[in-house]
Amino acid sequence: MGKLTENFGEMVFNDRAMREKLPSDIYKSLKKTILDGKDLDITVANVVANAMKVWAIEKGATHYTHWFQPLTGITAEKHDSFLQPAGDGTAIEKFSGKNLIKGEPDASSFPSGGLRATFEARGYTAWDPTSYAFIKDDTLCIPTAFCSYGGEMLDKKTPLLRSTEILSDQAVRVLHALGRTEVKRVVPNTGAEQEYFILDKEDYLSRRDLVFTGRTLFGAPAPKGQELDDHYFGVIKPRVKAFMAELDRELWKLGIFAATEHNEAAPSQHELAPVYSVTNLAADHNQLTMEIMKKVADRQGLVCLFHEKPFAGVNGSGKHNNWSIATGLGENLLNPGSNPHENTQFLLFLSAVITAVDEYQDLLRVMVASASNDHRLGAGEAPPAIISIYLGDELTAILDCVESGKKYSPAKLANMQTGVHVLPDFQKDTTDRNRTSPFAFTGNKFEFRMVGSSQSISDANMGLNTMLAEVLSNFADRLEGKKDPIAAARRIIRDAYRDHKRIIFNGNNYSKDWEQEAAARGLSNLRTTADAIPRLADEKNVALFTKMGIFTEAEVQSRCEIMLENYCKVLRIEANTMLDMARRDILPVVAEYTAKRKTEADLLMIPAMINDSEKLKSILADLYDRIDCLAIAVEQAPKVSQTSCQAQFYKDSVLTAMKNLREVADAAEKCIPSDKWPFPTYATLLFGV
Ligand code: ADP
Ligand code: MG
């Protein structure tokens, strides 16, 4: 093994470890469970558990935990030691099949959106054998699903797994109808590019807004932002380089293929892209990646920020969700091949995605809705809140021909001539990239760019899988039993394109014109989370989820409630943090300095100084007023009944009052001497590392 590969996955109970540590009949039966979803026998589980325990203790583990993903969006764990009393004052190391399969964390403090009362505390975690167990911080972590005593799902993994199964079922039906009977299953694959900011820890700790909310609630722009484009793909600074190097080592040990790292557009902003994998694993790995990033940064005196918009005026962070579907044999169903216009199977799956995204625009919008992501979507830098698909000229032309019945003649592939002998000439791609589209076809996958950098990717992928499964099930109904399934498929493609082509937009999504055109096309434009979330409980979406067996109606309602509550809570924390900083830090400084300037101006009587001191005085008066306005709004908010109305109130009144307060505080910052300003400025934060 090479120097880089020898430690890869050493902390993972992966296929290699299983083959080494398990008797071959047990290994086979576990593999069957993993691949075919067969139920696991308790005797098998006992043997697996024991082997895991021995393996983990050998690697220094002392505890085990069921690792799960409650609706908070982050991961949870409760550690138990392997040690158990032997009865004679000594201890034995114990970890049984039962411990592996099932856990019972108290569920009462996790959000349930009214699904259960607090006294109904029992919750269960159930082993997900399709995601490998791993060791982190001397603890054997077992990826699990999480549900309540009554069987309601309380996590993000279970719906994702269900959507994966249902997508497979429906895609297989379509493939079988096309004569592809050798295909037994279909899996979604995801590669989530993670954007983040790196700050100096000391600077971070000096700002309560960053500590409590993950973003700056105040801050005048630095003289320099990202306008020179000199950070994007630029040379990585030594401290960041060291961070990335340690991060890679940690991730590789956990079997996570961290592949690409580069600087992003904003100063201090970076990106990490892993190699894609089966979506369930990609979701687990992304959660784990964020956790490890935070820890490694901390060890190096840095802080890693995942907030979607930590700084006003420079780009925010997203999580580009690259998504495709493939057969169990590894054939990517979204690969156009060399003759896409003749590739009916590809065009059919492509049409299914187009149909799904158009039919369920609102749902997709909800899946990425959060208070923090609102600052990013539509901010003229990130994809707008309007969902549309970028297909590129070639595929659009092909589908136009399918619709009109005209013959398609492929465009000639152009050669790129560099005009320099020593540089190679190369073939150009058939279409350019589009960086502004929220949902872009990028060669053999779709890149869903609206997902926020701090969000779990589970919701977005669960939504995509479910929508697609529904459309494929309709396609399968039309295909099954047809004598000429290919001709039937061509008709489906034609109809789908005719009915749903309004969702396709190959132009600039950031332009104002697009917003108008999208409205004319009847596309939905849910600007804020408060507007978007209630759409989740629309009849159509509830019908989709219940028909596909993903959620019950009660579960949909509860998720709505949780998301809205979360929105209100986040804004409340932000508003309170602002008030605290404004009253205790900003006001005293501005008041003292204003008085000082007034005295000086009175003494020296220079007109410019008098002007200046008057200006400061009016800023100070505004500060008082706007603090009051925000305080009143914050006080009123909880009195608004119904969570959806309360969310609207936060959006309209609280958020506006916050914006107004920030405006005047930032104006003050520009007048106060730098050594007097109570916290690190944008210049320090963004250029300090
Ligand atoms: P970029 O969009 O920056 O050019 P890449 O083409 O390298 O990036 O891919 C970005 C991400 O997409 C990576 O995480 C990569 O593993 C993932 N990816 C590539 N192919 C697929 C696929 N077929 N399905 C899902 N994700 C994919
Ligand atoms: Mg990309």
Side-chain angles (χ1 to χ4, degrees), residues 116-131:
R116 48 149 184 67
T118 316
F119 62 88
E120 297 167 330
R122 215 186 266 276
Y124 294 111
T125 48
W127 179 33
D128 166 18
T130 63
S131 180

Side-chain angles (χ1 to χ4, degrees), residues 173-184:
R173 274 182 69 203
V174 167
L175 287 166
H176 283 193
L178 293 176
R180 301 287 314 277
T181 48
E182 80 285 6
V183 178
K184 299 279 177 278

Side-chain angles (χ1 to χ4, degrees), residues 94-227:
K94 192 155 183 293
F95 181 58
S96 68
K98 203 172 141 257
N99 298 146
L100 170 63
I101 291 179
K102 193 179 102 184
E104 286 190 35
D106 187 320
S108 57
S109 293
F110 291 107
S112 83
L115 271 184
R116 48 149 184 67
T118 316
F119 62 88
E120 297 167 330
R122 215 186 266 276
Y124 294 111
T125 48
W127 179 33
D128 166 18
T130 63
S131 180
Y132 299 131
F134 57 90
I135 299 171
K136 143 177 102 65
D137 300 334
D138 296 336
T139 302
L140 171 67
C141 298
I142 300 146
T144 53
F146 179 48
C147 64
S148 76
Y149 181 69
E152 291 96 359
M153 280 179 281
L154 297 176
D155 73 340
K156 290 183 184 266
K157 185 190 261 290
T158 317
L160 180 62
L161 285 173
R162 285 187 185 169
S163 75
T164 306
E165 278 181 21
I166 195 86
L167 173 62
S168 178
D169 294 347
Q170 301 308 324
V172 166
R173 274 182 69 203
V174 167
L175 287 166
H176 283 193
L178 293 176
R180 301 287 314 277
T181 48
E182 80 285 6
V183 178
K184 299 279 177 278
R185 65 187 188 113
V186 164
V187 290
N189 284 312
T190 300
E193 302 166 51
Q194 176 74 50
E195 292 180 338
Y196 60 96
F197 280 81
I198 285 281
L199 303 185
D200 183 85
K201 188 153 94 185
E202 233 176 88
D203 293 338
Y204 167 88
L205 289 173
S206 321
R207 295 203 47 140
R208 295 202 289 293
D209 49 1
L210 285 174
V211 172
F212 292 134
T213 74
R215 74 174 177 114
T216 52
L217 298 167
F218 297 104
K224 178 177 190 268
Q226 64 188 55
E227 54 279 80

Side-chain angles (χ1 to χ4, degrees), residues 393-406:
D393 298 337
E394 189 190 22
L395 290 180
T396 309
I398 290 172
L399 289 172
D400 277 335
C401 288
V402 175
E403 190 195 10
S404 64
K406 284 206 197 93

Side-chain angles (χ1 to χ4, degrees), residues 8 128 130-132 157 160-161 164 167 185-193 254-259 273-289 320-327 330 332 444-446 457 461 465:
F8 188 85
D128 166 18
T130 63
S131 180
Y132 299 131
K157 185 190 261 290
L160 180 62
L161 285 173
T164 306
L167 173 62
R185 65 187 188 113
V186 164
V187 290
N189 284 312
T190 300
E193 302 166 51
L254 288 166
I256 298 173
F257 280 98
V275 176
Y276 72 94
S277 62
V278 172
T279 303
N280 177 39
L281 213 60
D284 283 359
H285 279 176
N286 181 251
Q287 293 295 93
L288 204 50
T289 299
H320 293 177
N321 189 88
N322 295 271
W323 171 80
S324 66
I325 50 173
T327 66
N332 180 354
N444 60 2
K445 62 188 192 295
F446 278 98
I457 60 167
N461 288 284
N465 296 344

Side-chain angles (χ1 to χ4, degrees), residues 199-219 301-303 305 311 577 580-582 584-586 589 669 674-682 684-685 688:
L199 303 185
D200 183 85
K201 188 153 94 185
E202 233 176 88
D203 293 338
Y204 167 88
L205 289 173
S206 321
R207 295 203 47 140
R208 295 202 289 293
D209 49 1
L210 285 174
V211 172
F212 292 134
T213 74
R215 74 174 177 114
T216 52
L217 298 167
F218 297 104
L302 299 167
V303 170
L305 286 187
F311 302 98
T577 306
D580 185 55
M581 290 171 77
R584 296 199 299 133
D585 295 337
I586 300 175
V589 170
E669 185 190 325
S674 41
D675 64 323
K676 297 264 184 321
W677 195 246
F679 23 76
T681 61
Y682 267 34
T684 308
L685 293 170

